[in-house]
């Protein structure tokens, strides 16, 4: 039984698996008192301390102090991160999804700072950003939310309204920040290049590609070709088939004209 559970766990998409694991472990640790939540929440003043507490830039997206909210947030975070990682053509490599998460989280913190808000925890914003990005490719489709069947593109707005009614306006504002961050990513990578005839203004940086080694996936009409990211490519085909024969036997001579 345990082996089957571990096998199913390791079979999950890597980015989603690590994100959910970090979220659940961090939140449960804070709820039961094993981790000090006050050392993990975010406020800009902590970055100006010496030494700067830069880990808060990450941990503030992994904390949910209410057990029931943690249950629902973990479900939504897993559901939509898997959809982005596995079924979205805009993220063919896991490094592209990692860059998306980094960009969205950075913009959320910037909006929160510029708006003068102090939200401390931002998991709801990250989830809403993923929901928005996922539903942009599902226009015209229907989706189920609670007991309602709604257009897919209306799901982010419905989630913000429900959050405002059930959890208060503070968490709803965090979700609005996530929506704005996801829309900015969508504008820079899809809307402006496709509809504004402009260049793509946001690309996955090379340093992150080197840090996160991923296979390159090429979609073809007859299937998908995968080349490991670490395997070098010579850029040409020799046309020589290596085999058991010595090199001297495979070489071509000058040839003789027959007849």
């Amino acid at each position: 039984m345990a082996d089957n559970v571990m096998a199913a766990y390791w079979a999950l998409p890597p980015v989603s698996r690590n994100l959910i694991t970090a979220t659940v472990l961090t939140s449960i640790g804070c709820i039961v008192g094993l981790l000090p939540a006050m050392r993990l929440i975010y406020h800009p003043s902590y970055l100006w301390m010496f030494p700067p507490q830069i880990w808060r830039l990450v941990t503030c997206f992994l904390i949910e102090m209410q057990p029931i909210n943690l249950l629902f947030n973990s479900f939504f975070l897993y559901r939509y991160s898997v959809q982005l990682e596995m079924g979205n053509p805009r993220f063919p490599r896991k490094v592209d999804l990692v860059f998306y998460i980094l960009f969205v989280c950075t913009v959320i913190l910037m909006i929160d700072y510029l708006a003068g808000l102090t939200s401390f925890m931002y998991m709801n914003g990250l989830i809403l950003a993923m929901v928005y990005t996922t539903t942009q490719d599902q226009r015209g489709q229907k989706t189920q939310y609670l007991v309602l069947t709604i257009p897919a593109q209306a799901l982010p707005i419905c989630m913000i309204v429900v959050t405002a009614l059930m959890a208060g306006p503070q968490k709803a504002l965090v979700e609005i920040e996530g929506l704005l961050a996801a829309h900015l990513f969508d504008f820079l990578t899809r809307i402006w290049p496709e509809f504004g005839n402009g260049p793509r203004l946001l690309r996955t940086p090379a340093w992150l590609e080197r840090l996160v080694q991923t296979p390159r996936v090429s979609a073809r009409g007859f299937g998908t070709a995968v080349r490991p990211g670490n395997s070098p490519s010579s850029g040409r085909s020799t046309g020589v088939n290596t085999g058991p024969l010595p090199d001297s036997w495979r070489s071509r001579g000058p040839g003789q004209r027959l007849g």
Side-chain angles (χ1 to χ4, degrees):
M1 180 64 179
D3 293 339
N4 294 335
V5 172
M6 292 304 300
Y9 172 78
W10 288 110
L12 298 175
V15 176
S16 303
R17 180 183 67 231
N18 294 331
L19 181 60
I20 293 300
T21 301
T23 299
V24 172
L25 293 181
T26 304
S27 298
I28 292 179
C30 292
I31 291 173
V32 301
L34 295 178
L35 296 176
M38 293 301 297
R39 300 282 295 176
L40 302 179
I41 61 176
Y42 172 78
H43 190 274
S45 61
Y46 292 116
L47 300 180
W48 299 103
M49 301 178 65
F50 185 82
Q53 301 180 9
I54 58 176
W55 65 83
R56 295 177 183 267
L57 296 171
V58 177
T59 56
C60 64
F61 289 93
L62 306 176
I63 302 176
E64 176 54 63
M65 296 301 297
Q66 299 297 326
I68 186 64
N69 291 341
L70 175 61
L71 179 63
F72 284 102
N73 284 350
S74 299
F75 169 76
F76 286 121
L77 187 62
Y78 170 76
R79 178 180 181 180
Y80 291 102
S81 63
V82 167
Q83 290 188 34
L84 291 178
E85 187 172 2
M86 298 297 294
N88 197 303
R90 299 173 62 184
F91 305 102
R93 303 171 299 170
K94 67 180 181 181
V95 66
D96 298 321
L97 181 58
V98 171
F99 176 65
Y100 165 81
I101 294 174
L102 293 177
F103 177 84
V104 165
C105 292
T106 301
V107 175
I108 289 175
L109 294 179
M110 292 178 60
I111 295 175
D112 194 77
Y113 175 76
L114 295 176
L117 303 175
T118 306
S119 302
F120 298 115
M121 296 178 289
Y122 301 90
M123 184 189 300
N124 288 69
L126 177 59
I127 295 174
L128 203 286
M130 289 184 171
V131 172
Y132 177 86
T133 303
T134 301
T135 55
Q136 290 307 296
D137 297 324
Q138 298 176 350
R139 290 183 175 273
Q141 302 180 23
K142 298 290 185 179
T143 188
Q144 192 78 19
Y145 181 63
L146 300 179
V147 296
L148 302 176
T149 300
I150 59 175
Q153 64 269 23
L155 179 59
I157 303 300
C158 291
M159 294 181 67
I160 293 175
V161 172
V162 172
T163 299
L165 295 176
M166 300 185 63
Q170 185 68 32
K171 285 188 176 293
L173 288 175
V174 175
E175 292 188 346
I176 293 175
E177 293 172 354
L179 186 147
L180 295 176
H183 182 71
L184 178 61
F185 181 88
D186 192 44
F187 176 81
L188 296 176
T189 59
R190 185 181 66 89
I191 297 177
W192 177 246
E194 293 185 8
F195 302 101
N197 296 323
R200 178 166 178 167
L201 302 176
L202 191 65
R203 297 182 182 275
T204 304
W207 63 267
L208 188 60
E209 292 182 352
R210 291 191 296 268
L211 184 64
V212 183
Q213 296 291 335
T214 57
R216 296 184 177 272
V217 180
S218 301
R220 298 178 176 176
F222 52 85
T224 302
V226 179
R227 178 170 62 85
N230 293 331
S231 61
S233 175
S234 61
R236 60 187 179 88
S237 176
T238 61
V240 179
N241 183 24
T242 60
L245 297 178
D247 292 340
S248 60
W249 288 26
R250 290 198 301 267
S251 61
R252 296 182 177 89
Q256 299 291 334
R257 182 176 180 179
L258 300 178

